mmCIF file of all heavy atoms in Angstrom:
data_model
loop_
_atom_site.group_PDB
_atom_site.id
_atom_site.type_symbol
_atom_site.label_atom_id
_atom_site.label_comp_id
_atom_site.label_asym_id
_atom_site.label_seq_id
_atom_site.Cartn_x
_atom_site.Cartn_y
_atom_site.Cartn_z
ATOM 1 N N SER A 36 1.801 9.641 -25.070
ATOM 2 C CA SER A 36 2.669 10.139 -23.997
ATOM 3 C C SER A 36 2.067 9.817 -22.633
ATOM 4 O O SER A 36 0.869 10.011 -22.414
ATOM 5 C CB SER A 36 2.869 11.651 -24.135
ATOM 6 O OG SER A 36 3.599 11.956 -25.295
ATOM 7 N N ILE A 37 2.899 9.331 -21.732
ATOM 8 C CA ILE A 37 2.482 9.003 -20.363
ATOM 9 C C ILE A 37 3.490 9.647 -19.425
ATOM 10 O O ILE A 37 4.699 9.404 -19.562
ATOM 11 C CB ILE A 37 2.443 7.484 -20.115
ATOM 12 C CG1 ILE A 37 1.786 6.761 -21.292
ATOM 13 C CG2 ILE A 37 1.732 7.158 -18.813
ATOM 14 C CD1 ILE A 37 2.135 5.294 -21.355
ATOM 15 N N PHE A 38 3.033 10.449 -18.498
ATOM 16 C CA PHE A 38 3.937 11.113 -17.561
ATOM 17 C C PHE A 38 3.843 10.448 -16.189
ATOM 18 O O PHE A 38 2.747 10.193 -15.684
ATOM 19 C CB PHE A 38 3.597 12.596 -17.439
ATOM 20 C CG PHE A 38 4.052 13.409 -18.624
ATOM 21 C CD1 PHE A 38 3.216 13.586 -19.717
ATOM 22 C CD2 PHE A 38 5.312 13.976 -18.644
ATOM 23 C CE1 PHE A 38 3.631 14.325 -20.813
ATOM 24 C CE2 PHE A 38 5.736 14.720 -19.734
ATOM 25 C CZ PHE A 38 4.898 14.895 -20.829
ATOM 26 N N ALA A 39 4.998 10.180 -15.628
ATOM 27 C CA ALA A 39 5.044 9.617 -14.276
ATOM 28 C C ALA A 39 4.797 10.735 -13.263
ATOM 29 O O ALA A 39 5.022 11.921 -13.540
ATOM 30 C CB ALA A 39 6.384 8.955 -14.025
ATOM 31 N N LYS A 40 4.322 10.362 -12.095
ATOM 32 C CA LYS A 40 4.133 11.300 -10.991
ATOM 33 C C LYS A 40 5.063 10.917 -9.848
ATOM 34 O O LYS A 40 5.562 9.787 -9.778
ATOM 35 C CB LYS A 40 2.679 11.295 -10.523
ATOM 36 C CG LYS A 40 1.701 11.775 -11.590
ATOM 37 C CD LYS A 40 0.273 11.777 -11.070
ATOM 38 C CE LYS A 40 -0.679 12.275 -12.146
ATOM 39 N NZ LYS A 40 -2.074 12.305 -11.667
ATOM 40 N N VAL A 41 5.299 11.850 -8.958
ATOM 41 C CA VAL A 41 6.191 11.595 -7.823
ATOM 42 C C VAL A 41 5.450 11.916 -6.527
ATOM 43 O O VAL A 41 4.735 12.911 -6.426
ATOM 44 C CB VAL A 41 7.482 12.429 -7.923
ATOM 45 C CG1 VAL A 41 8.408 11.844 -8.971
ATOM 46 C CG2 VAL A 41 7.188 13.887 -8.231
ATOM 47 N N ASN A 42 5.625 11.026 -5.550
ATOM 48 C CA ASN A 42 5.039 11.216 -4.224
ATOM 49 C C ASN A 42 6.116 11.743 -3.284
ATOM 50 O O ASN A 42 7.261 11.948 -3.679
ATOM 51 C CB ASN A 42 4.464 9.887 -3.727
ATOM 52 C CG ASN A 42 3.375 10.077 -2.687
ATOM 53 O OD1 ASN A 42 3.273 11.120 -2.056
ATOM 54 N ND2 ASN A 42 2.551 9.060 -2.491
ATOM 55 N N SER A 43 5.779 11.925 -2.028
ATOM 56 C CA SER A 43 6.734 12.430 -1.043
ATOM 57 C C SER A 43 7.904 11.468 -0.878
ATOM 58 O O SER A 43 7.764 10.252 -1.043
ATOM 59 C CB SER A 43 6.041 12.632 0.305
ATOM 60 O OG SER A 43 4.975 13.541 0.195
ATOM 61 N N LEU A 44 9.071 12.020 -0.533
ATOM 62 C CA LEU A 44 10.222 11.202 -0.171
ATOM 63 C C LEU A 44 9.969 10.622 1.220
ATOM 64 O O LEU A 44 9.543 11.336 2.131
ATOM 65 C CB LEU A 44 11.494 12.048 -0.152
ATOM 66 C CG LEU A 44 11.817 12.862 -1.415
ATOM 67 C CD1 LEU A 44 13.035 13.743 -1.166
ATOM 68 C CD2 LEU A 44 12.071 11.936 -2.591
ATOM 69 N N THR A 45 10.219 9.331 1.393
ATOM 70 C CA THR A 45 9.952 8.682 2.676
ATOM 71 C C THR A 45 11.162 7.881 3.127
ATOM 72 O O THR A 45 11.994 7.471 2.307
ATOM 73 C CB THR A 45 8.735 7.742 2.584
ATOM 74 O OG1 THR A 45 8.959 6.795 1.521
ATOM 75 C CG2 THR A 45 7.463 8.521 2.306
ATOM 76 N N SER A 46 11.242 7.647 4.430
ATOM 77 C CA SER A 46 12.346 6.875 5.006
ATOM 78 C C SER A 46 11.840 6.087 6.195
ATOM 79 O O SER A 46 11.049 6.592 6.997
ATOM 80 C CB SER A 46 13.475 7.812 5.452
ATOM 81 O OG SER A 46 14.433 7.122 6.240
ATOM 82 N N ILE A 47 12.295 4.837 6.310
ATOM 83 C CA ILE A 47 11.940 4.029 7.475
ATOM 84 C C ILE A 47 12.795 4.405 8.674
ATOM 85 O O ILE A 47 12.570 3.919 9.789
ATOM 86 C CB ILE A 47 12.079 2.517 7.187
ATOM 87 C CG1 ILE A 47 13.530 2.168 6.822
ATOM 88 C CG2 ILE A 47 11.129 2.077 6.096
ATOM 89 C CD1 ILE A 47 13.790 0.684 6.694
ATOM 90 N N GLU A 48 13.793 5.281 8.474
ATOM 91 C CA GLU A 48 14.649 5.707 9.582
ATOM 92 C C GLU A 48 14.067 6.894 10.330
ATOM 93 O O GLU A 48 14.275 7.027 11.530
ATOM 94 C CB GLU A 48 16.049 6.053 9.066
ATOM 95 C CG GLU A 48 16.917 4.842 8.770
ATOM 96 C CD GLU A 48 18.377 5.123 9.045
ATOM 97 O OE1 GLU A 48 18.734 6.296 9.210
ATOM 98 O OE2 GLU A 48 19.155 4.158 9.094
ATOM 99 N N THR A 49 13.372 7.783 9.638
ATOM 100 C CA THR A 49 12.886 9.002 10.287
ATOM 101 C C THR A 49 11.376 9.089 10.341
ATOM 102 O O THR A 49 10.827 9.763 11.221
ATOM 103 C CB THR A 49 13.408 10.244 9.547
ATOM 104 O OG1 THR A 49 12.821 10.285 8.240
ATOM 105 C CG2 THR A 49 14.925 10.215 9.406
ATOM 106 N N GLU A 50 10.672 8.441 9.399
ATOM 107 C CA GLU A 50 9.209 8.536 9.290
ATOM 108 C C GLU A 50 8.744 9.964 9.057
ATOM 109 O O GLU A 50 7.585 10.293 9.310
ATOM 110 C CB GLU A 50 8.531 7.963 10.549
ATOM 111 C CG GLU A 50 8.886 6.521 10.861
ATOM 112 C CD GLU A 50 8.456 5.544 9.760
ATOM 113 O OE1 GLU A 50 7.595 5.906 8.945
ATOM 114 O OE2 GLU A 50 8.993 4.426 9.725
ATOM 115 N N LEU A 51 9.643 10.825 8.554
ATOM 116 C CA LEU A 51 9.288 12.208 8.224
ATOM 117 C C LEU A 51 9.266 12.353 6.707
ATOM 118 O O LEU A 51 10.320 12.327 6.072
ATOM 119 C CB LEU A 51 10.303 13.185 8.816
ATOM 120 C CG LEU A 51 10.441 13.219 10.339
ATOM 121 C CD1 LEU A 51 11.614 14.105 10.737
ATOM 122 C CD2 LEU A 51 9.169 13.732 10.969
ATOM 123 N N PRO A 52 8.096 12.490 6.067
ATOM 124 C CA PRO A 52 8.064 12.649 4.608
ATOM 125 C C PRO A 52 8.440 14.070 4.191
ATOM 126 O O PRO A 52 8.159 15.036 4.906
ATOM 127 C CB PRO A 52 6.601 12.339 4.264
ATOM 128 C CG PRO A 52 5.835 12.682 5.497
ATOM 129 C CD PRO A 52 6.751 12.435 6.663
ATOM 130 N N PHE A 53 9.092 14.176 3.044
ATOM 131 C CA PHE A 53 9.460 15.477 2.484
ATOM 132 C C PHE A 53 9.057 15.520 1.018
ATOM 133 O O PHE A 53 8.978 14.492 0.351
ATOM 134 C CB PHE A 53 10.966 15.737 2.619
ATOM 135 C CG PHE A 53 11.434 15.939 4.030
ATOM 136 C CD1 PHE A 53 11.969 14.892 4.764
ATOM 137 C CD2 PHE A 53 11.324 17.181 4.635
ATOM 138 C CE1 PHE A 53 12.393 15.069 6.072
ATOM 139 C CE2 PHE A 53 11.746 17.370 5.944
ATOM 140 C CZ PHE A 53 12.278 16.313 6.663
ATOM 141 N N GLY A 54 8.824 16.717 0.509
ATOM 142 C CA GLY A 54 8.440 16.890 -0.876
ATOM 143 C C GLY A 54 9.553 16.482 -1.831
ATOM 144 O O GLY A 54 10.743 16.676 -1.538
ATOM 145 N N TYR A 55 9.179 15.954 -2.985
ATOM 146 C CA TYR A 55 10.150 15.511 -3.989
ATOM 147 C C TYR A 55 11.021 16.674 -4.449
ATOM 148 O O TYR A 55 12.248 16.546 -4.580
ATOM 149 C CB TYR A 55 9.405 14.900 -5.171
ATOM 150 C CG TYR A 55 10.269 14.513 -6.348
ATOM 151 C CD1 TYR A 55 10.999 13.323 -6.357
ATOM 152 C CD2 TYR A 55 10.352 15.337 -7.473
ATOM 153 C CE1 TYR A 55 11.789 12.965 -7.439
ATOM 154 C CE2 TYR A 55 11.136 14.991 -8.562
ATOM 155 C CZ TYR A 55 11.859 13.803 -8.538
ATOM 156 O OH TYR A 55 12.636 13.457 -9.618
ATOM 157 N N TYR A 56 10.421 17.822 -4.652
ATOM 158 C CA TYR A 56 11.163 18.967 -5.171
ATOM 159 C C TYR A 56 11.861 19.762 -4.077
ATOM 160 O O TYR A 56 12.349 20.870 -4.337
ATOM 161 C CB TYR A 56 10.228 19.862 -5.987
ATOM 162 C CG TYR A 56 9.779 19.193 -7.263
ATOM 163 C CD1 TYR A 56 8.474 18.717 -7.406
ATOM 164 C CD2 TYR A 56 10.661 18.994 -8.319
ATOM 165 C CE1 TYR A 56 8.066 18.086 -8.571
ATOM 166 C CE2 TYR A 56 10.265 18.359 -9.485
ATOM 167 C CZ TYR A 56 8.968 17.909 -9.605
ATOM 168 O OH TYR A 56 8.573 17.272 -10.757
ATOM 169 N N SER A 57 11.934 19.212 -2.852
ATOM 170 C CA SER A 57 12.784 19.811 -1.831
ATOM 171 C C SER A 57 14.251 19.529 -2.130
ATOM 172 O O SER A 57 15.137 20.178 -1.573
ATOM 173 C CB SER A 57 12.413 19.274 -0.442
ATOM 174 O OG SER A 57 12.645 17.865 -0.369
ATOM 175 N N LEU A 58 14.513 18.561 -3.019
ATOM 176 C CA LEU A 58 15.868 18.262 -3.492
ATOM 177 C C LEU A 58 16.019 18.802 -4.919
ATOM 178 O O LEU A 58 15.026 18.982 -5.630
ATOM 179 C CB LEU A 58 16.119 16.755 -3.462
ATOM 180 C CG LEU A 58 16.083 16.086 -2.080
ATOM 181 C CD1 LEU A 58 16.375 14.594 -2.199
ATOM 182 C CD2 LEU A 58 17.070 16.736 -1.131
ATOM 183 N N PRO A 59 17.247 19.046 -5.369
ATOM 184 C CA PRO A 59 17.456 19.648 -6.701
ATOM 185 C C PRO A 59 17.236 18.664 -7.841
ATOM 186 O O PRO A 59 18.176 18.263 -8.536
ATOM 187 C CB PRO A 59 18.917 20.119 -6.639
ATOM 188 C CG PRO A 59 19.571 19.216 -5.653
ATOM 189 C CD PRO A 59 18.520 18.907 -4.623
ATOM 190 N N TYR A 60 15.987 18.280 -8.059
ATOM 191 C CA TYR A 60 15.639 17.400 -9.169
ATOM 192 C C TYR A 60 15.124 18.230 -10.344
ATOM 193 O O TYR A 60 14.759 19.407 -10.188
ATOM 194 C CB TYR A 60 14.573 16.396 -8.741
ATOM 195 C CG TYR A 60 15.095 15.282 -7.847
ATOM 196 C CD1 TYR A 60 14.514 15.024 -6.608
ATOM 197 C CD2 TYR A 60 16.158 14.484 -8.246
ATOM 198 C CE1 TYR A 60 14.981 14.003 -5.788
ATOM 199 C CE2 TYR A 60 16.640 13.461 -7.431
ATOM 200 C CZ TYR A 60 16.049 13.232 -6.207
ATOM 201 O OH TYR A 60 16.520 12.219 -5.403
ATOM 202 N N CYS A 61 15.057 17.597 -11.508
ATOM 203 C CA CYS A 61 14.584 18.280 -12.714
ATOM 204 C C CYS A 61 13.085 18.547 -12.614
ATOM 205 O O CYS A 61 12.308 17.653 -12.286
ATOM 206 C CB CYS A 61 14.867 17.425 -13.951
ATOM 207 S SG CYS A 61 16.617 17.006 -14.153
ATOM 208 N N GLU A 62 12.697 19.777 -12.933
ATOM 209 C CA GLU A 62 11.287 20.138 -12.908
ATOM 210 C C GLU A 62 10.687 20.018 -14.307
ATOM 211 O O GLU A 62 11.385 20.209 -15.307
ATOM 212 C CB GLU A 62 11.122 21.574 -12.398
ATOM 213 C CG GLU A 62 11.606 21.760 -10.968
ATOM 214 C CD GLU A 62 11.346 23.159 -10.449
ATOM 215 O OE1 GLU A 62 10.692 23.948 -11.181
ATOM 216 O OE2 GLU A 62 11.788 23.469 -9.320
ATOM 217 N N PRO A 63 9.384 19.681 -14.426
ATOM 218 C CA PRO A 63 8.750 19.563 -15.751
ATOM 219 C C PRO A 63 8.695 20.913 -16.464
ATOM 220 O O PRO A 63 8.713 21.977 -15.832
ATOM 221 C CB PRO A 63 7.352 19.027 -15.426
ATOM 222 C CG PRO A 63 7.133 19.312 -13.987
ATOM 223 C CD PRO A 63 8.473 19.335 -13.332
ATOM 224 N N LEU A 64 8.612 20.869 -17.787
ATOM 225 C CA LEU A 64 8.608 22.083 -18.599
ATOM 226 C C LEU A 64 7.426 22.983 -18.275
ATOM 227 O O LEU A 64 7.536 24.210 -18.288
ATOM 228 C CB LEU A 64 8.592 21.709 -20.088
ATOM 229 C CG LEU A 64 9.843 21.008 -20.624
ATOM 230 C CD1 LEU A 64 9.619 20.560 -22.051
ATOM 231 C CD2 LEU A 64 11.065 21.908 -20.513
ATOM 232 N N GLU A 65 6.246 22.362 -17.993
ATOM 233 C CA GLU A 65 5.045 23.155 -17.726
ATOM 234 C C GLU A 65 4.940 23.605 -16.275
ATOM 235 O O GLU A 65 3.941 24.209 -15.871
ATOM 236 C CB GLU A 65 3.793 22.362 -18.112
ATOM 237 C CG GLU A 65 3.541 21.113 -17.266
ATOM 238 C CD GLU A 65 4.274 19.887 -17.778
ATOM 239 O OE1 GLU A 65 5.207 20.054 -18.593
ATOM 240 O OE2 GLU A 65 3.908 18.765 -17.360
ATOM 241 N N GLY A 66 5.969 23.335 -15.481
ATOM 242 C CA GLY A 66 5.957 23.730 -14.081
ATOM 243 C C GLY A 66 5.394 22.644 -13.178
ATOM 244 O O GLY A 66 4.800 21.669 -13.638
ATOM 245 N N ILE A 67 5.565 22.820 -11.873
ATOM 246 C CA ILE A 67 5.128 21.820 -10.885
ATOM 247 C C ILE A 67 3.631 21.997 -10.626
ATOM 248 O O ILE A 67 3.159 23.100 -10.329
ATOM 249 C CB ILE A 67 5.918 21.968 -9.568
ATOM 250 C CG1 ILE A 67 7.418 21.798 -9.829
ATOM 251 C CG2 ILE A 67 5.426 20.959 -8.542
ATOM 252 C CD1 ILE A 67 8.290 22.136 -8.639
ATOM 253 N N LYS A 68 2.901 20.902 -10.750
ATOM 254 C CA LYS A 68 1.461 20.913 -10.494
ATOM 255 C C LYS A 68 1.126 19.791 -9.520
ATOM 256 O O LYS A 68 1.518 18.644 -9.735
ATOM 257 C CB LYS A 68 0.679 20.721 -11.796
ATOM 258 C CG LYS A 68 0.891 21.822 -12.819
ATOM 259 C CD LYS A 68 0.144 21.524 -14.108
ATOM 260 C CE LYS A 68 0.391 22.602 -15.153
ATOM 261 N NZ LYS A 68 -0.267 22.273 -16.445
ATOM 262 N N LYS A 69 0.396 20.128 -8.483
ATOM 263 C CA LYS A 69 0.003 19.128 -7.499
ATOM 264 C C LYS A 69 -1.241 18.391 -7.968
ATOM 265 O O LYS A 69 -2.152 18.990 -8.528
ATOM 266 C CB LYS A 69 -0.254 19.770 -6.140
ATOM 267 C CG LYS A 69 0.978 20.442 -5.542
ATOM 268 C CD LYS A 69 0.689 20.941 -4.146
ATOM 269 C CE LYS A 69 1.902 21.661 -3.568
ATOM 270 N NZ LYS A 69 3.079 20.785 -3.484
ATOM 271 N N SER A 70 -1.271 17.078 -7.720
ATOM 272 C CA SER A 70 -2.456 16.291 -8.054
ATOM 273 C C SER A 70 -3.501 16.463 -6.969
ATOM 274 O O SER A 70 -3.180 16.781 -5.813
ATOM 275 C CB SER A 70 -2.098 14.810 -8.196
ATOM 276 O OG SER A 70 -1.185 14.615 -9.243
ATOM 277 N N ALA A 71 -4.761 16.246 -7.344
ATOM 278 C CA ALA A 71 -5.842 16.316 -6.350
ATOM 279 C C ALA A 71 -5.634 15.236 -5.304
ATOM 280 O O ALA A 71 -5.354 14.084 -5.636
ATOM 281 C CB ALA A 71 -7.186 16.139 -7.045
ATOM 282 N N GLU A 72 -5.747 15.613 -4.036
ATOM 283 C CA GLU A 72 -5.521 14.679 -2.940
ATOM 284 C C GLU A 72 -6.764 14.604 -2.065
ATOM 285 O O GLU A 72 -7.430 15.615 -1.832
ATOM 286 C CB GLU A 72 -4.315 15.124 -2.105
ATOM 287 C CG GLU A 72 -2.997 15.094 -2.881
ATOM 288 C CD GLU A 72 -1.880 15.817 -2.150
ATOM 289 O OE1 GLU A 72 -2.211 16.693 -1.319
ATOM 290 O OE2 GLU A 72 -0.716 15.533 -2.405
ATOM 291 N N ASN A 73 -7.067 13.394 -1.591
ATOM 292 C CA ASN A 73 -8.205 13.263 -0.691
ATOM 293 C C ASN A 73 -7.757 13.501 0.749
ATOM 294 O O ASN A 73 -6.560 13.700 1.030
ATOM 295 C CB ASN A 73 -8.881 11.888 -0.854
ATOM 296 C CG ASN A 73 -7.922 10.737 -0.610
ATOM 297 O OD1 ASN A 73 -7.132 10.764 0.333
ATOM 298 N ND2 ASN A 73 -7.985 9.706 -1.452
ATOM 299 N N LEU A 74 -8.709 13.473 1.662
ATOM 300 C CA LEU A 74 -8.430 13.772 3.064
ATOM 301 C C LEU A 74 -7.408 12.809 3.648
ATOM 302 O O LEU A 74 -6.487 13.208 4.371
ATOM 303 C CB LEU A 74 -9.745 13.717 3.862
ATOM 304 C CG LEU A 74 -9.676 14.085 5.342
ATOM 305 C CD1 LEU A 74 -9.188 15.510 5.519
ATOM 306 C CD2 LEU A 74 -11.041 13.903 5.997
ATOM 307 N N GLY A 75 -7.535 11.523 3.310
ATOM 308 C CA GLY A 75 -6.611 10.521 3.834
ATOM 309 C C GLY A 75 -5.187 10.754 3.374
ATOM 310 O O GLY A 75 -4.232 10.612 4.158
ATOM 311 N N GLU A 76 -5.008 11.111 2.097
ATOM 312 C CA GLU A 76 -3.665 11.361 1.577
ATOM 313 C C GLU A 76 -3.015 12.550 2.275
ATOM 314 O O GLU A 76 -1.823 12.520 2.602
ATOM 315 C CB GLU A 76 -3.728 11.612 0.069
ATOM 316 C CG GLU A 76 -3.979 10.364 -0.759
ATOM 317 C CD GLU A 76 -4.080 10.677 -2.245
ATOM 318 O OE1 GLU A 76 -4.909 11.536 -2.616
ATOM 319 O OE2 GLU A 76 -3.340 10.064 -3.025
#
Side-chain angles (χ1 to χ4, degrees):
S36 293
I37 316 160
F38 284 90
K40 296 181 179 181
V41 285
N42 204 340
S43 301
L44 307 174
T45 55
S46 169
I47 61 173
E48 283 213 346
T49 66
E50 303 298 341
L51 298 173
F53 292 96
Y55 175 80
Y56 292 107
S57 63
L58 297 181
Y60 286 125
C61 303
E62 297 184 5
L64 294 173
E65 66 274 16
I67 301 171
K68 298 177 182 176
K69 298 185 182 300
S70 298
E72 296 167 336
N73 58 43
L74 184 61
E76 286 178 305

